[in-house]
Amino acid sequence: MNFKNFDELLGLVKGKTNRIVVPGANNDEVLTACKMGVEHKIISGGILIGPKAQVEEMAKKVGLKLDIFEIVDKSDYAEMCNMAVELVRAGKGDFLVKGLVDTKFYMKAILRKEIGAVPEGRVLSHFVLFELANYHKLFALTDAAIMISPTVEQKAKITENAVEIMRALGVEKPKVAVVCPVEKVNPKIPSTLDAEALVKLNRDGALKNCVVEGPYDIYISFSKELAAEKGIKGAVVPGETDIALMPDLNAGNLVYKSLSYFGAGMKAATVLAGSNLVVILPSRTDSPVTKLHSIALACFLKDAVKAAV
């Protein structure tokens, strides 16, 4: 990977032109993250969309100077999101930062066919990059926010989305753990059958540029020693997982929020995967620091995405 931790990432994107577009900018947490981004010199300007008086009041409250930002006075959530996407598509901003807007409006604006943000045949998925004190490298978790109960085909596309981002971050051949409750295929546990199918797709060359193994539980995915105790031999993913593919939204969201709340030394960044626009998609309850790191990750990814479009 091109950086070992989020501090290095912040250093890599410092001083570059990174213009943000924020629908629902009337929010203390997102404006605090913007202030931190300006202080770290990873935000060079942008457009804040929301009720102007509220945005100005909250910016004053958190200490964000507005001299490098344009404020667009809007109060309708759907209109905010549609305008934000159109501004980024028109090149007037580099990426989207979700503020105080419902995810349904945010996603609907991105998914509009006339915008063309999602290439044909792809799906959108949620990508979280984690740094934890008790794991030796950064790793991704997906999908924790969008796909409710993905099919095997959708899981393959979610994997491809995550692999594409990890490769953009410098991991040439990401190691993917298909996470399940158990490590053996069991017809009564559908996620293990999906894991078996995904491993076969990888071996047959349909899932490229990665190594896919599973079904693995969390212990096996992140510990070589525990994998050995459970009799997993000849595998390369245990203890070296770059991407943890969750079985469904129930599991993914719970793991994501558990790590965010309880994880030792936790730092995280969240973006939307599968779009040719760079989009930050944090939870409303994610901290300003997580939003800052998400902005930093978006800063890093924007050039890679633009090159691919």
Side-chain angles (χ1 to χ4, degrees), residues 86-263:
E86 289 160 8
L87 287 167
V88 173
R89 172 53 75 200
K92 295 182 179 179
D94 292 305
F95 51 87
L96 291 164
V97 180
K98 181 175 174 288
L100 187 65
V101 294
D102 291 346
T103 298
K104 66 180 180 180
F105 295 123
Y106 196 58
M107 295 298 295
K108 189 174 181 180
I110 294 163
L111 286 166
R112 283 180 297 160
K113 287 186 178 180
E114 64 268 27
I115 295 297
V118 186
E120 189 174 348
R122 298 195 68 168
V123 301
L124 294 180
S125 53
H126 185 252
F127 176 98
V128 188
L129 190 67
F130 273 110
E131 176 186 337
L132 298 175
N134 51 5
Y135 192 59
H136 67 283
K137 62 179 176 178
L138 298 175
F139 71 94
L141 184 144
T142 191
D143 180 326
I146 297 175
M147 304 293 284
I148 297 172
S149 185
T151 63
V152 170
E153 292 76 16
Q154 289 170 330
K155 286 181 180 180
K157 291 179 180 181
I158 292 169
T159 302
E160 289 171 344
N161 285 349
V163 167
E164 181 178 73
I165 291 179
M166 292 301 284
R167 283 171 59 83
L169 299 181
V171 182
E172 185 175 348
K173 197 168 185 177
K175 298 176 179 66
V176 182
V178 186
V179 179
C180 298
V182 296
E183 70 275 10
K184 295 180 181 179
V185 176
N186 184 336
K188 294 182 179 180
I189 305 177
S191 63
T192 66
L193 297 174
D194 290 355
E196 184 180 43
L198 290 166
V199 169
K200 186 176 187 304
L201 286 173
N202 181 237
R203 288 176 179 168
D204 292 345
L207 261 179
K208 300 177 181 178
N209 300 317
C210 59
V211 177
V212 180
E213 292 179 359
Y216 288 161
D217 65 11
I218 288 288
Y219 294 150
I220 292 170
S221 299
F222 292 97
S223 171
K224 291 179 183 178
E225 292 75 19
L226 294 178
E229 283 186 26
K230 291 200 171 192
I232 304 297
K233 298 178 180 179
V236 299
V237 173
E240 293 296 334
T241 292
D242 296 303
I243 299 168
L245 178 67
M246 295 289 106
D248 56 28
L249 184 64
N250 282 325
N253 195 267
L254 287 171
V255 172
Y256 163 46
K257 289 179 178 175
S258 294
L259 288 175
S260 297
Y261 195 76
F262 294 110

Side-chain angles (χ1 to χ4, degrees), residues 16-51:
K16 294 186 178 183
T17 300
N18 297 305
R19 299 161 302 162
I20 64 171
V21 180
V22 185
N26 52 318
N27 174 261
D28 287 354
E29 289 185 342
V30 77
L31 291 178
T32 299
C34 290
K35 175 177 179 283
M36 296 167 72
V38 172
E39 291 171 348
H40 281 84
K41 298 182 179 179
I42 67 170
I43 292 176
S44 57
I47 302 171
L48 307 177
I49 306 172

Side-chain angles (χ1 to χ4, degrees), residues 60-77:
K60 184 177 181 180
K61 177 183 174 183
V62 304
L64 172 66
K65 294 181 179 179
L66 295 173
D67 53 323
I68 62 172
F69 295 99
E70 175 187 348
I71 301 177
V72 177
D73 189 11
K74 278 196 177 296
S75 57
D76 182 88
Y77 290 148

